[in-house]
Amino acid sequence: MKKAMPGGRASSAPLLGSDTEPTIFEMSQSGRRAFQLRTTGVPALPLDQLVPREHLNPTHVELAEVSERDLVAHFTRLSHRQFAVDLGAYPLGSCTMKYNPKFCDAVAGDPGLNSVHPGAPAHLTQGWLALLCDLEERLCEVTGMAGATLQPAAGAAGELTGLLIMRAYHESRGDQRKRVIIPDSAHGTNPASVTLGGYEVTTIPSDERGLVDVNALRAVLGPDVAGIMLTNPNTVGLFEEEISEIANAVHEVGGLLYYDGANLNAILGVVRPGDMGFDIVHMNLHKTFATPHGGGGPGAGPVAVASHLVEFLPGPKPAMTSEGTYEWRTPHHSIGRVHGWHGNAMVLARALAYITVHGGDGLPRVAQHAVLNANWLRQRLQAVLPAAYDRPCMHECVLTATGIKHNHNVRALDLAKRLMEKGFHAPTVYFPLIVDEALMFEPTETESPQTLEALACALEEIAEEAVVDGDRVRHAPLTTPVTRVDEARAARQLVPTEDAAERV
Ligand SMILES: *Cc1c(COP(=O)(O)O)cnc(C)c1O
């Protein structure tokens, strides 16, 4: 651990964006406190007279000692060194990293909701149970399903839950099946969940349209297929037009259809997975409804199922009694718990707030505006960054930098890095894997035409720079607090300590 630096360091605070912000330990001054209690006259006893010696930690724990003012300034300065959803457009695709309305946070901040222990008995938590029941019902309405669980902690956890339900269903019929089919454009969590769920993955190729190749699908179908996992619109932002044929073909061999709902915001209130023929759906509430989710969580991945699967849902579930009160019930053939308690409750509360406020024609408008924005951007950028598949997209568009790479040796990664210097967050790059030099933009419904135009202009400028000053783009970013990092080294040489820089 570093020694405390001489005083005065914090007061000569660096400017925003500087890379010389000291660590909180460097700012530390022995004896300095963020607050002081009033003097009482009660003599201060040594610690080992207050706490039995055997309970005291024998090692000295070095904590930073700073004033509240310096503490707040330090973290506020640090917060200004990163890009955030509250600072500007965040066109990252596939994650729906959108601006989330603040009223959802206000709801989650209600002490009536957030001071309740999840283990409190049902008769003391009727309000929470009513809220959860209400949310389950609305999610079933949005997806066209018969029942739901709110327990899974995020999309990937929902996938595993769905696959365990698929398994329980087949096993209840004495039907041993082995394989789950996944298109090659799928999100990486899909094959991982299939493997965790005890099935083998069969991958099918996309066709030249970027859609499921129905003939390739038919060729791998058989009585050992437990089901198929599909994202629709898929990860290239395209709607699977032959979804009814796909559903019929899979159902004909006794398989189930699993809907990866990460892209549900594209079809919200317009078309429902249940009506497309799906049996199981997970939703990423943190992607479609509310909850900012950068930095890894928290999220919520409720799973909704068709009527023949309701008995397998995780439990306990909130349910209304015949007297109109609420209780916890576990379905007959439940696969059991998939969460320590009832799910990530505050994400659930935010989602219900979002759905309630947008109800009626609000939810379809979310989807329509998201689709309009993505198509506008795709069309606007056509000359600079052509679409990987030249057809109308849904809520996100996948563009390719293949041309710029071949002509000017500037890659998608370089464009994305340079974009951060122009006041925009980078798009998703190199995903989906089936597109060369992919740049995936998802403007979402929240961005204005002016913001989209500014984003397009920034990309045009960068494309121009690639021609006249390629090195500037290849070495970008040069003006951000952290310049280009060695991403491979970060993954291979993980040193999670505050003095990491000195150790490597
Ligand atoms: C985000 C995403 C997932 C995984 O969801 P998490 O909530 O991050 O666990 C699965 N599939 C697709 C298509 C996604 O975009």
Side-chain angles (χ1 to χ4, degrees), residues 92 294 306:
L92 204 61

Side-chain angles (χ1 to χ4, degrees), residues 13 28 40 49 55-56 60-61 109 119 134 147 169 184 226 244 264 274 322 325 351 388 390 431 441 445 464 474 502:
S28 178
T40 58
Q49 287 185 32
H55 295 314
L56 287 175
H60 173 66
V61 180
D134 193 4
Y169 166 77
D184 59 359
S244 300
L264 188 68
S322 50
T325 57
D390 189 18
F431 179 79
F441 288 92
E445 76 283 6
E464 186 59 36
R474 279 186 290 273
E502 285 159 28

Side-chain angles (χ1 to χ4, degrees), residues 89-324:
Y90 219 112
L92 204 61
S94 188
C95 290
T96 316
M97 200 51 217
K98 69 176 167 187
Y99 177 82
N100 292 287
K102 295 291 176 237
F103 78 85
C104 298
D105 289 337
V107 169
D110 186 325
L113 289 177
N114 66 28
S115 60
V116 177
H117 193 280
H123 71 273
L124 295 178
T125 51
Q126 289 289 297
W128 253 118
L129 271 89
L131 185 157
L132 297 178
C133 272
D134 193 4
L135 180 61
E136 272 189 18
E137 251 172 58
R138 287 167 193 252
L139 295 179
C140 286
E141 207 174 306
V142 162
T143 52
M145 292 286 152
T149 172
L150 304 174
Q151 283 187 18
E159 289 174 26
L160 179 59
T161 304
L163 282 152
L164 294 177
I165 291 173
M166 189 183 281
R167 218 189 152 76
Y169 166 77
H170 289 306
E171 280 173 5
S172 75
R173 298 153 55 91
D175 198 351
Q176 293 296 332
R177 290 177 178 244
K178 279 207 329 244
R179 296 184 292 131
V180 173
I181 299 169
I182 304 180
D184 59 359
S185 62
H187 193 270
T189 49
N190 290 187
S193 301
V194 167
T195 307
L196 271 179
Y199 287 119
E200 283 165 30
V201 176
T202 299
T203 308
I204 48 165
S206 308
D207 61 17
E208 67 287 347
R209 301 169 304 168
L211 302 178
V212 166
D213 183 333
V214 181
N215 288 329
L217 170 63
R218 286 192 201 282
V220 298
L221 282 176
D224 63 336
V225 168
I228 185 171
M229 290 182 91
L230 281 182
T231 311
N232 193 21
N234 65 20
T235 56
V236 203
L238 303 177
F239 193 84
E240 294 289 353
E241 290 163 11
E242 284 143 341
I243 186 60
S244 300
E245 277 179 49
I246 294 171
N248 289 338
V250 174
H251 282 153
E252 264 166 33
V253 298
L256 297 179
L257 275 88
Y258 182 98
Y259 183 92
D260 177 334
N263 294 339
L264 188 68
N265 61 315
I267 59 164
L268 212 50
V270 178
V271 57
R272 309 188 305 171
D275 300 334
M276 296 180 211
F278 284 91
D279 305 281
I280 311 172
V281 179
H282 90 249
M283 286 149 278
N284 307 61
L285 298 191
H286 47 288
K287 292 181 181 176
T288 298
F289 298 108
T291 296
H293 63 282
V303 171
V305 297
S307 53
H308 51 288
L309 300 174
V310 167
E311 278 308 307
F312 302 102
L313 283 169
K317 280 168 53 59
M320 196 196 262
T321 65
S322 50
E323 287 94 60

